[in-house]
Amino acid sequence: MIVIAAGAGLALLIVGLTLFTAVTARQAEALAPPIGRFIDVDGARLHYLDRGTGPVVVMVHGLGGNLRNFYELIDELAATCRVVAVDRPGSGYSTMLSGEHPALRAQATIIARFLRRLELDRPLLVGHSLGGALSLALALDHPDCVRGLVLISTLSQVGRAAPAAFKSLEIRSPTLRWLIAWTLMVPLGKLSHQATLEAVFAPESAPKIFEVESGSVLGLRPGSFIAASKDMITVADELAIMTPRYPSLTIPVDVIFGRQDPILDYQAHGEHLVAALPNATLHLIEGGHMIPITAADQIVNWIRQAAGHAQRS
């Protein structure tokens, strides 16, 4: 009887957690609904924002994020540029209509075909963190699609260990990943939310409006967690293929890092990358990993300069 009661209690707990997760996901989408358009590309339905006129700037967000993460940059840039911000496949409101969640280089291929579908003529590609790695992959595999890169706090090298803030995503078993996504992810995510936010923004503090404006609540959906976990465990193999090819990338590349970045060290991921690229410049500023938020004015100026140079080349 004790075993039966324990089993029934566990079953009720799992059902309760699953319902709580489903309700939380619906609440997240109500708080941060889609703000752009949708287009189907190669088995993916991509959500993207298209604003402004002028030199074309395409923006790609990082791990577990969405296009709203660029809220401090989009409106400023759209005053002088055409800004296209896209949710990576599996992130934000971009979903896979068929097939498995794609690894980094396959995502880059989808984004390259997205650029062609929109008839964007070799735009400037701006990537933050994991979005920077995707931007490098796209430029390497589809050089006809991009005229230049701006890489902000970018992942560029095979790391020895995941940053502590993202350790919870290192789940290799698909079954375990799915179970955690639908049961423990939401309550644990809520409990650790403030600590994670402090770790990602260190040494600075997250602005009070960040959680509302950035759509970070979308990360509490099971699908977002599963996609981020898959990105986390597959990216090292993708980078191992990419890094030997960096010297072949001849387009202009601006690499921007905060000196105090606790997530991706500027020496390991910035200096080493720039040393491998034939036409790259490293810009160092004071700040951490989230400089697109905390140093938005400086970032906007560098992107504008790069967009102007790209248009003239």
Side-chain angles (χ1 to χ4, degrees):
M1 291 294 293
I2 295 176
V3 173
I4 294 174
L10 179 60
L12 285 173
L13 177 61
I14 291 172
V15 169
L17 288 171
T18 301
L19 289 173
F20 178 58
T21 297
V23 169
T24 300
R26 287 197 295 270
Q27 292 173 339
E29 292 179 347
L31 289 170
I35 57 174
R37 310 172 189 173
F38 290 87
I39 187 171
D40 293 351
V41 181
D42 283 3
R45 174 160 291 165
L46 299 180
H47 174 236
Y48 70 100
L49 192 65
D50 190 343
R51 289 185 182 169
T53 58
V56 182
V57 175
V58 176
M59 312 190 79
V60 185
H61 63 84
L63 182 68
N66 66 89
L67 63 81
R68 288 174 180 259
N69 292 172
F70 294 115
Y71 72 88
E72 284 282 5
L73 308 180
I74 290 173
D75 287 342
E76 285 295 319
L77 286 170
T80 56
C81 300
R82 179 182 175 186
V83 180
V84 178
V86 61
D87 285 337
R88 289 189 299 103
S91 299
Y93 283 98
S94 289
T95 57
M96 294 304 297
L97 300 176
S98 62
E100 293 291 320
H101 177 72
L104 186 74
R105 292 173 64 226
Q107 290 182 39
T109 294
I110 292 171
I111 299 301
R113 290 174 181 165
F114 162 75
L115 301 181
R116 295 187 184 109
R117 284 284 303 276
L118 291 188
E119 298 182 347
L120 303 179
D121 181 22
R122 298 184 65 214
L124 177 74
L125 197 56
V126 177
H128 175 239
S129 196
L130 183 66
L134 184 147
S135 300
L136 284 164
L138 192 153
L140 289 167
D141 292 345
H142 307 275
D144 61 308
C145 283
V146 60
R147 197 180 301 267
L149 300 178
V150 174
L151 307 176
I152 309 166
S153 311
T154 187
L155 174 69
S156 70
Q157 311 295 323
V158 179
R160 295 180 181 177
F166 301 119
K167 275 287 187 182
S168 63
L169 295 172
E170 283 195 313
I171 306 168
R172 296 194 171 272
S173 166
T175 302
L176 182 59
R177 188 186 301 130
W178 186 89
L179 286 172
I180 291 174
W182 277 100
T183 56
L184 298 176
M185 183 270 294
V186 169
L188 292 180
K190 287 178 175 288
L191 287 172
S192 63
H193 173 72
Q194 189 58 39
T196 300
L197 202 62
E198 291 175 0
V200 171
F201 269 89
E204 296 130 330
S205 299
K208 292 182 179 179
I209 64 171
F210 175 77
E211 294 185 68
V212 174
E213 296 294 335
S214 72
S216 61
V217 68
L218 295 174
L220 290 174
R221 300 172 303 166
S224 298
F225 177 85
I226 290 168
S229 177
K230 288 183 178 179
D231 287 339
M232 188 74 181
I233 64 174
T234 58
V235 70
D237 290 340
E238 299 286 281
L239 287 170
I241 296 170
M242 291 165 52
T243 50
R245 299 173 58 201
Y246 286 163
S248 69
L249 193 59
T250 59
I251 59 174
V253 180
D254 287 277
V255 181
I256 309 171
F257 261 94
R259 287 188 177 88
Q260 294 81 31
D261 191 330
I263 304 298
L264 296 172
D265 176 70
Y266 79 86
Q267 293 174 313
H269 293 275
E271 290 181 351
H272 287 182
L273 174 62
V274 169
L277 297 173
N279 192 15
T281 304
L282 178 63
H283 308 277
L284 294 177
I285 62 176
E286 299 305 311
H289 191 65
M290 297 302 289
I291 51 177
I293 304 294
T294 60
D297 289 344
Q298 290 172 277
I299 302 297
V300 164
N301 287 336
W302 270 314
I303 293 173
R304 279 193 177 130
Q305 291 174 25
H309 293 155
Q311 189 178 41
R312 292 190 293 271
S313 64

